[in-house]
Amino acid sequence: MAIPLQVRIQALGAQLLYALPRPARRLIAGKPIRLDGQELALDAQLLLRLQQLSGTELVGRSVRGSRTAIDEARHLVSGKPIQPVSGRELTIPAEHGDLPATLYTPEGLPEGSGLLVFYHGGGWVIGSRTSHENTARFLAKHAQVRVLSVEYRLAPEHPFPAATEDALTAFDYAHAKASELGAEPSRIAVGGDSAGGNLAAVVALRTTRRGGPAPAFQLLIYPAVDASVRRRSRELFGDGFFLTDEAMTWFMDHYVPDPDRRTDPLVSPLLAEDVSGLPPAYIATAGFDPLRDEGEAYAERLAAAGVRVALSRQSDLIHGYANFLGIGRRCTEATAEAAGALQVGLSRNAGH
């Protein structure tokens, strides 16, 4: 797909801006933002300033327009395609029709590797394999695993529980076809960012409660895990930090229109009666993120149930940082930590 001229110009402008000396970047970004005992990273603050100057929002009036915008935005923030990583298109059979997917493989990775089934973010409404391509490539390269990125059905055309069904189908496919994918069936993780982190958590919960096969590891990057409660972080960071309170409401109204269904553990895994026995998890939160507190509450819930969990708050970052790999260094550093956790989690001697 050709990159629109306006997007190419904006991308060039962003690259030039981030190449400026730090004092110049600070001047453009404004005074440091400090809130809740945290200071926002300059890279993140500069991105928010660019968003403010351009008048762009995460979601717009229409679903179609919002989907187009997030796919185009990758040219502004995600950077050039990460190499050497190959991508192979495939389809996952499902009851309602095949699910498109892409298998990313780092150069030189032997057969029998670990594999991550990756679910992209976007509030279950927007986002795609395209918008999250470099995130998947980054995790594949830096964790030295294969990554199966899945195109699950989106709301409002396909509201809850369609995405959860597709997420489970994709994991079961990866486990059944592991050898064909070049992976070891005992070393398959589920993971994703935001809504994708939600789907990964739901798959881990469902597969464990049914008695397996279940993932060996969960990679949950600023996951949405409780749609029933407004926590303090949503009040603190619900305006001006990329993911807004208004956008969260817009997403949930499309995904689960009936408020009474939002306490279902398949929407809000934090509310599950039993989380014991779940796979080990790495849970990352961002300090300036409305979802911060629910992600951390989920980590506490898992730990209390005896699940091995590593919680990492990136206190100076905003929601979405795993997609912002082409601007500055700070977001790349945080995402590299997640890749390292995945690599360790899927090492041959990791286990439960």
Side-chain angles (χ1 to χ4, degrees):
M1 184 180 70
I3 305 172
L5 177 60
Q6 181 182 0
V7 173
R8 294 204 303 269
I9 293 172
Q10 289 175 337
L12 178 60
Q15 291 170 14
L16 293 173
L17 189 59
Y18 274 87
L20 291 172
R22 182 180 177 87
R25 284 180 282 133
R26 169 55 68 195
L27 186 64
I28 294 168
K31 294 180 180 179
I33 295 175
R34 298 183 178 91
L35 191 57
D36 200 30
Q38 309 169 132
E39 181 174 324
L40 188 62
L42 176 57
D43 284 349
Q45 190 174 341
L46 193 58
L47 177 62
L48 294 175
R49 181 63 175 153
L50 288 174
Q51 183 187 28
Q52 182 185 43
L53 291 171
S54 65
T56 58
E57 299 290 343
L58 177 59
V59 296
R61 292 182 179 180
S62 75
V63 169
R64 178 180 294 183
S66 298
R67 289 173 180 168
T68 300
I70 194 174
D71 281 348
E72 290 182 349
R74 71 190 176 102
H75 300 296
L76 303 178
V77 296
S78 295
K80 296 179 180 179
I82 291 170
Q83 302 291 357
V85 178
S86 65
R88 175 164 68 93
E89 300 300 302
L90 51 85
T91 55
I92 299 171
E95 289 186 7
H96 60 82
D98 291 346
L99 298 175
T102 304
L103 180 67
Y104 295 102
T105 304
E107 184 178 64
L109 188 67
E111 297 290 302
S113 71
L115 182 143
L116 170 68
V117 182
F118 180 78
Y119 312 109
H120 66 77
W124 310 274
V125 177
I126 63 176
S128 65
R129 289 175 297 151
T130 299
S131 66
H132 285 64
E133 178 180 356
N134 243 16
T135 305
R137 284 178 170 273
F138 185 95
L139 292 171
K141 178 178 179 178
H142 292 279
Q144 282 297 289
V145 298
R146 288 170 167 83
V147 174
L148 183 66
S149 183
V150 182
E151 203 77 75
Y152 56 88
R153 288 173 293 170
L154 298 176
E157 299 90 340
H158 305 284
F160 173 78
T164 64
E165 293 170 352
D166 291 351
L168 180 61
T169 296
F171 170 76
D172 284 341
Y173 170 86
H175 190 273
K177 303 292 185 180
S179 60
E180 296 176 24
L181 299 174
E184 165 60 47
S186 66
R187 299 173 63 208
I188 297 177
V190 290
D193 61 306
S194 195
N198 169 276
L199 295 176
V202 166
V203 169
L205 185 64
R206 291 185 68 179
T207 53
T208 300
R209 293 285 80 86
R210 75 181 180 187
F217 189 74
Q218 307 176 68
L219 185 76
L220 311 181
I221 302 175
Y222 37 83
V225 289
D226 186 3
S228 71
V229 176
R230 294 181 62 91
R231 287 179 168 78
R232 180 171 172 270
S233 59
R234 183 160 176 175
E235 304 301 335
L236 284 175
F237 310 112
D239 183 35
F241 296 100
F242 186 67
L243 176 63
T244 64
D245 176 69
E246 183 179 4
M248 291 175 68
T249 300
W250 188 85
F251 286 135
M252 189 54 63
D253 285 349
H254 282 98
Y255 182 51
V256 191
D258 181 359
D260 291 339
R261 300 192 72 182
R262 296 176 187 176
T263 56
D264 188 322
L266 301 187
V267 177
S268 302
L270 179 59
L271 304 184
E273 288 186 14
D274 182 10
V275 296
S276 63
L278 290 180
Y282 169 86
I283 300 178
T285 61
F288 290 77
D289 184 353
L291 291 176
R292 183 192 70 186
D293 290 358
E294 64 190 75
E296 296 180 1
Y298 193 55
E300 292 171 7
R301 178 91 197 281
L302 294 184
V307 177
R308 288 172 50 201
V309 56
L311 171 64
S312 178
R313 179 193 289 190
Q314 305 296 324
S315 62
D316 58 344
L317 290 180
I318 58 175
H319 189 89
Y321 68 73
N323 276 83
F324 306 149
L325 301 174
I327 52 171
R329 297 179 181 177
R330 182 65 191 95
C331 296
T332 300
E333 291 171 355
T335 310
E337 181 187 285
L342 176 62
Q343 186 173 31
V344 171
L346 287 183
S347 61
R348 292 190 183 278
N349 59 357
H352 275 49

